[in-house]
Amino acid sequence: MSTPFPFTAVVGQDDLRLALLLNAVSPAVGGVLVRGEKGTAKSTAVRALSALMPEVDVVSGCRFSCDPDSPDPGCPDGPHTPGAFASRPARMVELPVGASEDRLVGALDIERALAEGVKAFEPGLLADAHRGILYVDEVNLLHDHLVDLLLDAAAMGASYVEREGVSVRHAARFLLVGTMNPEEGELRPQLLDRFGLTVEVAASREPDQRVEVVRRRLAYDDDPAAFAARWADEEAAVRARIVAARELLPSVRLGDGALRQIAATCAAFEVDGMRADIVMARTATALTAWAGRTEVLAEDVRQAALLALPHRRRRNPFDAPGLDEDKLDETLEEFGGHDGQGEDGDDDPDPGPGGGPGGQPEPDDAPQGDGDAAARPEAGEGGEPQPSGGTGEQSPARAAEPFRTKVLSVPGLGQGAAGRRSRARTEHGRTTGARRPRGALTKLHLAATVQAAAPHQRARGRSGPGLVVRRDDLRQASREGREGNLVLFVVDASGSMAARQRMSAVKGAVLSLLLDAYQRRDKVGLVTFRGSAADVALPPTSSVDAAAVRLESLPTGGRTPLAAGLLRAHEVLRVERLRDPARRALVVVVTDGRATGGPEPVALAGRAARLFAAEGTASVVVDCESGPVRLGLAGQLAGELGGTAVTLDELRADSIAGLVKDVQGSRRAA
């Protein structure tokens, strides 16, 4: 067994270490979500925590780690004989992102269940993690069906495995710890709320601290055992402090004043539900016990808020987690806080970088000279006023308010990653047929299995009520559900799109489609074209937030190299097919259809568009043409692509054109 990096040897990351230790003191806090860039010791700190956890007493021979003082009456290995127990270290179980459902919750032997009526059950990772730590690295990349199972287990403290009427239940209470890189996508709100605490980690910018990180890591890699031995005393001291805090925890008093501060803070920050209040209360008491006190103070409530509330403040997927500490201090002071608050006595928050209070940007104060240009019909490329610098580039326009869009789906039946956009063969969904299993049986089709076994009962010598089932009789259920797609946005940022009101509406539409992509578990990419070239503003990623940030800062101006934009998008799709051939693409071209610059720009754009049509790539053109004279160029482009054109108004789900639009492709999948 490899020697873990000592917890006390981790340099910096004070919030991360504190959040993990508080959960070690009081597992009822509800776990930790660690957010941060790669290479910031997230996984190292979590794995090191398991060595500090106190040992647990378990019933001897129980595969489900029952507590000998209060064994689970429904334990599959029960009933248990009183008095037989053993002590072992608390486990840390890692859940791989690509794990199967059976690996997580366990598996039933369906053949024995049908033939003998025996609940032969092989425990999964949830059983292994009971009374220990369940660690999910890159938790934001976890498949939806596994997230659902985790939510159920976290809510009920138990895991249920049900297959065709055969059911097994066992206790599953664990400390859930997840790490993630926000650049790779955000968590579903339901799972986000299940984590009691969250911390943001980043690499230090202090040279001395970075030097110490490198020094310790190199020493550990050279001789892990010797390095761990040098930190043994510090590890033992922290382990003893955890035990002492656990013993002190029942004596901690959470007074009415502290409870009032907790309730007022959660109300002031408008968090949903009551879970935040409960988590803050548990965190504050754990902080008090960790400090060796028995009375919760305002400083404990403040620290609990900083750990428990930031991830519950997200009002939509593009909001960054965070907490206004000035507002927190004011709330605590108003409702009786006096410990560690208002050191400077300054109640006025400093203006943020946007010029407004709390860092909020002031209303758009861009010069109004663009208004005339935005109001009049376009006079062709270069018809927009240009800054004095003569670059043809204008400052980015703000996105209009997002709206609910129509469902744009890829035709045919795919088999990509589970999601919520297009029809696909999946492990979860409605049953559409049966087939022989390839490998382990995961979803039994009972009727087909019985039908396959029935003709052979006499030849197999059946004499009792049980059905004689062989391996060859088992049938796997074929199911149809929904998949997530790669939604590649190809956005025209040229001068013909640069009127501020118009570009604001275009960005609002793309932002609305990004919100839809977030909800449907899609990957997204962003290609922009303007001037003389096209750029990949964002390679395909699961981070819809990153796409929204790039969109917001998108400059406009110059000519319209439509062909370059389409060719760059085609290259992005070619590379992505090599990486993930099962994920189908949906190309969303946002343009007015104009093409300028270079020889024969219109013909070249048509040839580039026909590349998508020849490959059967699903596409939709969002027609951004405005003004009393409409040329219909976007519709012509959609025809070349073999796709569909929709106007900005038709994109809204509440438009009279209907609620669902299938994107046409020149070649439909079967």
Side-chain angles (χ1 to χ4, degrees):
M1 181 177 178
S2 61
T3 303
F5 192 91
F7 185 87
T8 51
V10 174
V11 179
Q13 310 297 12
D14 294 338
D15 288 344
L16 169 59
R17 292 191 293 170
L18 178 61
L20 292 172
L21 289 170
L22 292 178
N23 275 274
V25 171
S26 176
V29 166
V32 187
L33 174 64
V34 187
R35 299 165 47 93
E37 58 197 25
K38 53 187 176 292
T40 49
K42 300 188 298 294
S43 300
T44 298
V46 174
R47 293 188 175 100
L49 176 68
S50 60
L52 298 179
M53 298 287 285
E55 290 191 341
V56 294
D57 294 335
V58 298
V59 174
S60 297
C62 178
R63 296 175 297 166
F64 301 89
S65 302
C66 279
D67 187 344
D69 294 331
S70 56
D72 180 9
C75 176
D77 284 355
H80 296 300
T81 303
F85 73 93
S87 295
R88 63 162 176 77
R91 292 175 180 156
M92 192 195 75
V93 177
E94 293 196 42
L95 171 60
V97 169
S100 66
E101 180 178 329
D102 285 347
R103 185 70 187 98
L104 178 61
V105 300
L108 287 169
D109 189 331
I110 300 297
E111 186 174 352
R112 291 189 63 191
L114 288 175
E116 306 172 28
V118 175
K119 294 181 181 179
F121 180 69
E122 183 66 28
L125 296 177
L126 290 180
D128 292 342
H130 179 47
R131 304 178 66 203
I133 302 171
L134 181 61
Y135 172 48
V136 189
D137 194 13
E138 306 294 352
V139 63
N140 50 326
L141 304 182
L142 200 63
H143 290 169
D144 276 1
H145 66 283
L146 297 182
V147 170
D148 292 335
L149 294 169
L150 274 181
L151 289 176
D152 290 342
M156 297 182 294
S159 175
Y160 292 84
V161 183
E162 298 191 15
R163 297 282 175 83
E164 308 297 343
V166 181
S167 177
V168 171
R169 174 211 165 274
H170 65 83
R173 292 182 294 275
F174 45 81
L175 167 58
L176 180 61
V177 181
T179 57
M180 60 175 281
N181 184 346
E183 294 179 356
E184 297 172 341
E186 284 292 346
L187 277 176
R188 287 171 55 182
Q190 297 92 329
L191 182 57
L192 196 63
D193 190 51
R194 290 292 178 185
F195 286 98
L197 310 180
T198 185
V199 291
E200 296 277 346
V201 296
S204 173
R205 299 297 181 257
E206 293 293 331
D208 290 344
Q209 193 170 82
R210 295 176 74 96
V211 166
E212 187 61 25
V213 170
V214 174
R215 181 181 291 118
R216 293 186 186 183
R217 185 70 212 189
L218 293 177
Y220 171 78
D221 291 341
D222 288 342
D223 191 341
F227 183 81
R230 290 201 296 271
W231 291 89
D233 291 343
E234 288 83 351
E235 293 281 287
V238 172
R239 192 178 299 109
R241 188 174 175 184
I242 292 173
V243 173
R246 282 190 172 190
E247 294 174 350
L248 184 62
L249 190 64
S251 304
V252 173
R253 178 180 176 274
L254 183 64
D256 291 342
L259 275 174
R260 185 172 177 81
Q261 286 181 315
I262 290 171
T265 300
C266 292
F269 285 100
E270 299 179 350
V271 297
D272 295 330
M274 295 297 298
R275 182 173 284 114
D277 303 63
I278 296 170
V279 171
M280 271 191 67
R282 290 172 174 167
T283 305
T285 56
L287 280 161
T288 303
W290 179 249
R293 293 183 274 103
T294 58
E295 186 75 22
V296 175
L297 305 177
E299 63 192 50
D300 301 317
V301 176
R302 186 181 192 279
Q303 183 64 57
L306 293 174
L307 293 172
L309 297 188
H311 60 302
R312 296 182 167 91
R313 284 280 297 145
R314 286 169 62 96
R315 313 312 297 178
N316 69 63
F318 302 144
D319 288 341
L323 213 61
D324 184 340
E325 295 192 33
D326 291 325
K327 181 178 179 180
L328 173 60
D329 291 339
E330 291 172 4
T331 303
L332 293 174
E333 185 174 357
E334 179 182 355
F335 288 88
H338 57 273
D339 295 279
Q341 315 295 325
E343 294 178 1
D344 298 328
D346 183 6
D347 294 331
D348 296 326
D350 293 333
Q360 296 299 316
E362 296 287 2
D364 191 358
D365 57 357
Q368 299 304 310
D370 289 346
D372 295 336
R376 66 173 180 260
E378 295 156 12
E381 207 76 17
E384 297 297 327
Q386 297 182 359
S388 58
T391 63
E393 180 177 311
Q394 297 190 13
S395 60
R398 291 186 178 179
E401 193 69 22
F403 52 84
R404 189 167 64 92
T405 68
K406 290 179 182 178
V407 180
L408 303 174
S409 60
V410 178
L413 190 64
Q415 50 187 3
R420 295 185 176 181
R421 184 172 296 278
S422 305
R423 293 174 54 227
R425 299 181 183 92
T426 62
E427 288 294 320
H428 302 269
R430 63 185 182 89
T431 301
T432 58
R435 59 177 174 81
R436 292 181 182 273
R438 303 183 188 95
L441 178 72
T442 56
K443 297 291 182 182
L444 177 74
H445 194 296
L446 182 59
T449 299
V450 172
Q451 187 176 10
H456 308 291
Q457 296 305 295
R458 181 174 296 178
R460 292 173 182 173
R462 174 185 172 186
S463 58
L467 190 67
V468 181
V469 180
R470 300 287 186 261
R471 175 69 186 174
D472 289 343
D473 301 328
L474 299 179
R475 295 294 182 269
Q476 175 84 23
S478 298
R479 303 198 174 194
E480 182 179 311
R482 295 279 170 175
E483 68 177 358
N485 299 114
L486 166 60
V487 182
L488 182 61
F489 293 92
V490 186
V491 180
D492 184 348
S494 64
S496 66
M497 301 280 289
R500 293 192 69 81
Q501 291 180 355
R502 184 177 176 196
M503 198 61 196
S504 176
V506 169
K507 286 188 175 183
V510 178
L511 190 64
S512 303
L513 289 167
L514 284 171
L515 278 167
D516 184 67
Y518 168 82
Q519 294 165 350
R520 300 188 187 282
R521 316 290 184 261
D522 295 318
K523 290 182 71 174
V524 297
L526 179 62
V527 173
T528 64
F529 57 95
R530 56 184 289 271
S532 60
D535 296 313
V536 180
L538 183 71
T541 175
S542 297
S543 178
V544 178
D545 303 55
V549 171
R550 305 291 173 86
L551 176 71
E552 192 67 29
S553 60
L554 179 65
T556 56
R559 293 185 177 275
T560 310
L562 177 57
L566 294 175
L567 290 173
R568 181 58 63 92
H570 185 268
E571 177 63 17
V572 170
L573 291 185
R574 185 190 68 81
V575 174
E576 193 63 20
R577 286 192 190 102
L578 296 176
R579 294 173 176 167
D580 190 358
R583 189 182 289 268
R584 297 187 295 166
L586 170 62
V587 178
V588 180
V589 184
V590 185
T591 182
D592 57 9
R594 301 187 183 201
T596 61
E600 300 183 341
V602 176
L604 186 59
R607 289 197 294 271
R610 288 191 288 275
L611 291 175
F612 292 87
E615 295 174 351
T617 303
S619 60
V620 59
V621 177
V622 179
D623 184 358
C624 302
E625 190 174 25
S626 62
V629 179
R630 301 179 65 86
L631 303 178
L633 297 176
Q636 296 176 25
L637 176 62
E640 298 277 9
L641 287 165
T644 304
V646 296
T647 65
L648 290 175
D649 289 337
E650 290 172 344
L651 194 60
R652 294 179 179 271
D654 54 0
S655 70
I656 61 174
L659 294 179
V660 179
K661 179 175 284 294
D662 282 329
V663 178
Q664 301 299 317
S666 62
R667 182 183 66 197
R668 291 183 175 273

